[in-house]
Amino acid sequence: MFHINRLYTRAHRKINRIFERYIPYNKSYKPKGHYNTLSEYVSATGAECKEIYPPEESALKVQDELINTSQKYHPVPKTGIQPAAYVTAVKSGRIYTDTINFAAVISEDNKVIGDISLHIGSTNPADNGIFNQSYFNTPMGLKGNAFHTLIGGSGENNYFHWMIDSLPRLHLLEKAGWLDKIDWFIVPKHNLPYQKDTLRLLNISQTKIVEGHEIQHIQAENLFATTFVRNIEHIPLWACQFLRKKFLPVAQRIIHSPKRIFISRHDSRSRNVKNEQQVMEMLGKYGFKKVVLSDLTFAEQVGLFEHAETIIAPHGAGLTNLVFCKKGANIIELFAKEYTPVLYADLASKVSLNYNYLSSSSHPIARDLRSAMNKDIQVPIIELEKLVKEVLTAEEHVSHEAV
């Protein structure tokens, strides 16, 4: 049923995109231009704007080999400048999203605002997909102040993007002193258990939630918006600290929570470990227990990762929970050779974990991004066992030194 629903959603969106691009309607809502930057908009309009974090140099503390192999399908700069993090208020502001490729924040004088508007694959507001549209629904009007956390398509059902790209914006709003002013919170979706749990734990009332991916076009008396959390794809430390501060206190440990865990993706349609049974037979000798994260509540997942000392897992959004691990925990991430994003290596470095990875090749070779992203993993047992022994030996050495 879930697979059928996903196919229906994709087909429906594709039809809508064609419709919206070629059928003219309500064209007065189409933006007449853009502000290149948020500062340009603020200078022109006098809008309220607060800098929360200044610009800073950022460098990935990730193995060079992993960065090099990741460049084909998921290029990330090793170093760069993380731009300043801002929050602003747009009078009579609108937000429009196609729910996949862009989320445009539109000013009172009908211009897309750079730095707080998103188009996947480009930082130039002139490239925003809204300029290719002809059909515009009449916006839903919200009285009072609204705050949005929309980030394109991944926010509605991807745990990583929800936790790392969406929720930390609430921290920026809170630091600005404006959280209590908000009457409406525009989120991508609110139907998955972790979405409901995290918003509840952040004291966001259900009565104030608007699902942006359902409405698409919204206007508020004052629309509050932030710059993006990962402007250069690097995860900022402040986002990790926010998640730990807000959610570690509510962690619920599973009874007899294992210290050594293998995260299985057998509940997923992609990136499964093809020889998982053989992997577990080997890992069982070292005390590893298999865990399926979808069997756990959000609070139980937080507790599981906080308590774990060594975690082995294929690449997937569940590794976002590394943010809750204790300093010095060991991580081994498993990849198919064609797709090795550095997301979780970066996250592990931000919270001081010991990160390792193992990539493996198998046939057929993935020829494009989609097949690379979804490819199952054939784990070389001998290589994994060798890495496990190295990691556990180092762990025991550290434990003895601590005593």
Side-chain angles (χ1 to χ4, degrees):
M1 179 61 73
F2 178 72
H3 180 54
I4 294 173
N5 287 341
R6 286 186 66 181
L7 289 176
Y8 171 80
T9 300
R10 287 176 182 173
H12 185 259
R13 283 177 173 170
K14 188 172 184 178
I15 292 169
N16 274 353
R17 287 199 299 276
I18 295 170
F19 194 76
E20 290 168 349
R21 185 159 189 168
Y22 297 108
I23 307 298
Y25 181 70
N26 268 345
K27 290 196 73 173
S28 63
Y29 287 116
K30 186 170 185 173
K32 305 301 183 185
H34 65 274
Y35 290 102
N36 283 312
T37 63
L38 177 58
S39 61
E40 185 179 308
Y41 164 71
V42 171
S43 296
T45 64
E48 284 189 278
C49 185
K50 294 186 180 183
E51 180 182 296
I52 309 304
Y53 293 103
E56 64 177 354
E57 293 183 3
S58 180
L60 292 178
K61 296 179 181 178
V62 175
Q63 295 96 321
D64 287 341
E65 183 184 6
L66 182 59
I67 292 177
N68 293 337
T69 58
S70 73
Q71 295 306 306
K72 181 179 179 182
Y73 287 132
H74 197 88
V76 177
K78 185 174 180 180
T79 61
I81 301 296
Q82 187 81 25
Y86 288 98
V87 185
T88 193
V90 182
K91 290 182 179 179
S92 299
R94 288 188 289 130
I95 183 163
Y96 192 101
T97 179
D98 71 342
T99 75
I100 299 174
N101 298 306
F102 70 86
V105 176
I106 306 156
S107 64
E108 59 268 42
D109 56 348
N110 204 21
K111 294 181 180 180
V112 170
I113 304 172
D115 296 335
I116 59 172
S117 293
L118 167 76
H119 185 91
I120 302 298
S122 176
T123 57
N124 184 351
D127 295 334
N128 196 283
I130 197 169
F131 292 113
N132 295 323
Q133 291 208 182
S134 297
Y135 188 101
F136 291 85
N137 292 319
T138 302
M140 169 193 268
L142 295 177
K143 276 192 169 185
N145 300 324
F147 176 72
H148 95 85
T149 66
L150 303 186
I151 53 172
S154 298
E156 66 175 328
N157 59 16
N158 183 281
Y159 185 67
F160 173 84
H161 292 292
W162 174 267
M163 295 291 290
I164 300 297
D165 294 326
S166 191
L167 289 188
R169 295 182 179 203
L170 290 163
H171 167 69
L172 299 178
L173 182 71
E174 186 176 37
K175 288 277 286 184
W178 289 340
L179 181 61
D180 293 338
K181 290 185 176 183
I182 303 303
D183 303 297
W184 305 98
F185 293 87
I186 304 168
V187 302
K189 279 275 194 178
H190 184 238
N191 62 326
L192 297 174
Y194 68 81
Q195 293 169 337
K196 293 179 179 180
D197 287 346
T198 50
L199 291 174
R200 174 179 54 80
L201 292 168
L202 292 171
N203 296 315
I204 306 297
S205 171
Q206 275 194 308
T207 61
K208 293 184 174 184
I209 292 172
V210 177
E211 291 192 341
H213 282 195
E214 293 295 327
I215 309 301
Q216 289 190 263
H217 196 187
I218 298 169
Q219 185 167 26
E221 290 181 38
N222 292 290
L223 178 64
F224 288 74
T226 76
T227 47
F228 302 108
V229 176
R230 293 187 302 138
N231 279 284
I232 57 172
E233 294 285 326
H234 296 193
I235 301 171
L237 180 59
W238 62 259
C240 301
Q241 292 171 336
F242 161 73
L243 294 172
R244 290 177 65 86
K245 178 181 178 181
K246 293 296 184 180
F247 297 127
L248 275 176
V250 300
Q252 292 178 9
R253 290 207 176 103
I254 305 166
I255 298 175
H256 307 305
S257 184
K259 293 185 181 296
R260 297 174 181 176
I261 58 176
F262 172 82
I263 306 299
S264 171
R265 285 178 58 86
H266 75 224
D267 58 338
S268 173
R269 295 174 56 247
S270 64
R271 292 192 303 280
N272 278 282
V273 172
K274 295 192 332 188
N275 56 335
E276 184 174 291
Q277 182 176 341
Q278 290 81 9
V279 168
M280 283 311 305
E281 286 173 1
M282 182 273 290
L283 291 179
K285 298 186 299 183
Y286 300 93
F288 282 85
K289 303 297 182 183
K290 184 169 80 171
V291 178
V292 179
L293 294 180
S294 60
D295 292 340
L296 308 178
T297 66
F298 171 72
E300 287 172 338
Q301 290 185 47
V302 176
L304 178 75
F305 277 74
E306 181 194 19
H307 190 63
E309 294 176 355
T310 302
I311 299 164
I312 301 175
H315 174 76
L319 282 172
T320 309
N321 290 311
L322 293 180
V323 74
F324 302 119
C325 286
K326 286 187 172 69
K327 180 179 178 180
N330 299 304
I331 314 303
I332 300 176
E333 185 173 9
L334 306 175
F335 295 107
K337 234 180 183 70
E338 296 95 325
Y339 187 65
T340 59
V342 300
L343 296 173
Y344 303 112
D346 181 26
L347 180 57
S349 75
K350 293 303 191 310
V351 291
S352 301
L353 309 183
N354 298 320
Y355 177 86
N356 298 272
Y357 73 96
L358 180 62
S359 61
S360 54
S361 57
S362 62
H363 293 283
I365 296 171
R367 299 295 184 183
D368 54 49
L369 176 59
R370 181 172 292 278
S371 59
M373 289 177 66
N374 294 327
K375 185 177 180 180
D376 289 338
I377 303 167
Q378 181 74 31
V379 176
I381 302 293
I382 294 174
E383 289 183 41
L384 178 59
E385 185 166 20
K386 179 182 177 183
L387 183 54
V388 167
K389 286 180 178 179
E390 291 173 0
V391 166
L392 296 183
T393 299
E395 177 185 288
E396 291 172 2
H397 180 69
V398 170
S399 299
H400 290 151
E401 282 190 343
V403 173

